[in-house]
Amino acid sequence: MADGVSGDTVRAVIADDQALVRTGFGMILAADGIEVTAEAADGAEAVAAVLRTRPDVVLMDIRMPGMDGIEATRRILAEDSVGDIRVIILTTYDLDHYVYAALTAGASGFLLKDVTPEHLVAAVRLVRSGDALLAPAITRRLIERFAHREAAPPASPHRDLSGLTPRELEVLRLLATGLSNAELAERLFLSPTTVKTHVGRILSKLELRDRVQAVVLAYESGLITPGGPAESAR
């Protein structure tokens, strides 16, 4: 496991083919006490840096020469030795169709490259905690737009949803629309703690890494229809 698991310091790798982006993001993270263990200019360097330094979070650009960020993400998350690592995809456009492929490869969320320093730091810490979905409304729009256009197969077979209780299915449907835990609690008249428990059980039963994967699965399984109401079912 990375040091950030046992201590307060979060450790990150920054992968982007633009040196100025790497330097700028590195300075922002370092100023907030986040340790940048390595920088990478392409996907192959990113994979090597992760295996060498074992960070908690990777900021991964999609469009890089040689191995792109999607393949790098897939290879990193396939490595058992890296532990519970999280990948945040960096993109120029909030509806870049490459982002959907990256999410199906296992990325935990994405950020626009013009993100504010405060949002960048908060995003890294949130993804590291595994407790929040980054930019849920944007992620939802992206998935709705590209879920049935992406030619690449998902990273793993669709999970069977039959093991979920009716309440868990309801939570998953609403989660897939981009609602936060607080919004879920308000909609379902439940406490935030109860909602968090439901979400945790859903992730455990479906063997998912985080909420982003749950959203992707909800669309890929047909539980939610892109552009349709939250209560649409198969």
Side-chain angles (χ1 to χ4, degrees), residues 42-44 64-69:
D42 58 43
M64 295 184 290
M67 184 190 300
D68 64 20

Side-chain angles (χ1 to χ4, degrees), residues 15-230:
D16 193 289
D17 62 347
Q18 298 182 49
L20 286 177
V21 172
R22 298 196 305 271
T23 299
F25 280 13
M27 292 175 63
I28 292 169
L29 296 181
D32 199 73
I34 296 173
E35 178 186 353
V36 178
T37 63
E39 296 181 5
D42 58 43
E45 288 185 11
V47 174
V50 167
L51 294 177
R52 185 176 69 253
T53 68
R54 301 294 196 273
D56 302 305
V57 177
V58 182
L59 292 174
M60 180 78 75
D61 187 20
I62 288 183
R63 302 178 184 182
M64 295 184 290
M67 184 190 300
D68 64 20
I70 297 172
E71 180 60 24
T73 296
R74 187 176 292 114
R75 294 193 186 190
I76 287 170
L77 296 178
E79 287 283 347
D80 293 334
S81 63
V82 300
D84 190 22
I85 193 170
R86 305 299 173 113
V87 177
I88 300 175
I89 296 298
L90 300 173
T91 181
T92 304
Y93 305 104
D94 64 347
L95 290 180
D96 188 328
H97 71 277
Y98 291 109
V99 175
Y100 180 76
L103 295 180
T104 62
S108 293
F110 68 95
L111 287 173
L112 300 183
K113 287 189 178 181
D114 62 359
V115 62
T116 65
E118 295 78 12
H119 191 185
L120 175 65
V121 170
V124 170
R125 294 193 180 279
L126 283 170
V127 166
R128 177 63 191 91
S129 73
D131 193 38
L133 170 64
L134 294 177
I138 297 176
T139 301
R140 175 176 57 82
R141 291 202 309 272
L142 182 145
I143 292 173
E144 287 179 349
R145 179 170 176 177
F146 296 112
H148 293 316
R149 300 183 189 180
E150 193 63 47
S156 59
H158 296 160
R159 276 73 165 184
D160 182 3
L161 303 183
S162 63
L164 300 183
T165 67
R167 174 63 92 181
E168 288 165 350
L169 281 171
E170 184 178 21
V171 170
L172 179 56
R173 287 189 187 103
L174 293 174
L175 185 155
T177 68
L179 297 185
S180 66
N181 279 2
E183 291 168 332
L184 284 168
E186 182 178 359
R187 178 74 63 87
L188 297 172
F189 302 102
L190 298 173
S191 72
T193 299
T194 299
V195 168
K196 188 173 182 179
T197 298
H198 282 311
V199 173
R201 287 175 179 168
I202 291 168
L203 298 182
S204 177
K205 287 182 178 182
L206 298 178
E207 299 180 344
L208 300 173
R209 179 178 296 104
D210 53 36
R211 296 167 65 101
V212 173
Q213 288 194 327
V215 173
V216 171
L217 177 62
Y219 283 93
E220 289 188 334
S221 67
L223 182 67
I224 294 293
T225 301

